[in-house]
Amino acid sequence: MPDLKTLLLNQDTQGAEVFDSPKERLNFYRSEIHFESTLLASRTSGYLSSQSFLMIAFASSMANTNPDWGSLFRLVVPSVLALLGLLTSLHAIPGIRASFDVIERWHRKQAELLQTEGNVGLLPNHDSALFGEGNSPPGGKRYKRTLLFSLRTPIIFGAVWALLGAFCIVLYFFG
């Protein structure tokens, strides 16, 4: 009986018999990349939509000019919205990061396949990889640059929410 380390090392190669050809395996990897990229785009879109609604509510609550309870309202409601925005940003990071890691793993597997079976992704009489990294060196990481928006957005919004929350408190006590 093989040990656990051997099983883990062979985990990625055990599926080789599932595919009839390297081309089928490449198509599978690319469909997984497409699926995960769509999932990441959906998560990012949902996150941005929630942040835009929170930002509108924040701006509207800061515009309250009621002379009786407006200043207290401008402290409590925007501060709570800023805290909610910060919390949703912190909770969005793991899901977006997980999608990024899965996409990165599939790209790595695709690059390994293209290195070992270099001709599976090539068009006949052509030098660039079909749907691949084009003329970039093997193992190119251009796809990472396209995913940075999704990775950085929750961090940027989290920082903005922290600043806006602090602004509410400073404005209430010193304004």
Side-chain angles (χ1 to χ4, degrees):
M1 176 151 198
D3 64 339
L4 181 61
K5 185 176 179 180
T6 306
L7 287 174
L8 290 175
L9 288 174
N10 294 329
Q11 178 182 8
D12 288 340
T13 58
Q14 286 178 347
E17 63 273 359
V18 172
F19 303 103
D20 290 334
S21 70
K23 182 69 174 169
E24 283 185 18
R25 179 183 281 179
L26 180 64
N27 288 337
F28 175 75
Y29 291 167
R30 288 180 174 165
S31 69
E32 289 299 311
I33 290 169
H34 176 74
F35 172 77
E36 290 295 334
S37 297
T38 302
L39 183 61
L40 177 61
S42 176
R43 286 178 178 168
T44 303
S45 178
Y47 170 75
L48 287 172
S49 295
S50 72
Q51 295 303 298
S52 66
F53 284 115
L54 281 174
M55 197 61 75
I56 291 167
F58 177 87
S60 298
S61 63
M62 286 296 288
N64 185 345
T65 58
N66 186 309
D68 295 330
W69 47 272
S71 68
L72 183 61
F73 183 87
R74 280 193 307 271
L75 169 68
V76 174
V77 175
S79 297
V80 169
L81 290 172
L83 181 62
L84 183 60
L86 181 62
L87 289 174
T88 57
S89 294
L90 292 174
H91 284 283
I93 291 171
I96 289 173
R97 182 69 197 177
S99 288
F100 176 83
D101 290 342
V102 171
I103 291 168
E104 188 175 48
R105 181 169 186 256
W106 284 118
H107 270 282
R108 195 171 39 250
K109 290 169 85 57
Q110 175 181 278
E112 290 169 4
L113 179 64
L114 287 173
Q115 278 185 330
T116 58
E117 304 281 344
N119 61 343
V120 294
L122 297 179
L123 290 170
N125 301 322
H126 201 278
D127 290 338
S128 63
L130 181 62
F131 306 117
E133 295 292 329
N135 295 325
S136 67
K141 304 291 186 200
R142 279 195 297 183
Y143 70 91
K144 280 188 177 183
R145 286 184 276 163
T146 64
L147 300 176
L148 287 179
F149 175 78
S150 293
L151 284 174
R152 292 178 179 163
T153 300
I155 296 166
I156 292 168
F157 267 101
V160 167
W161 283 119
L163 289 172
L164 288 174
F167 175 72
C168 293
I169 294 168
V170 167
L171 187 65
Y172 179 79
F173 289 109
F174 300 108

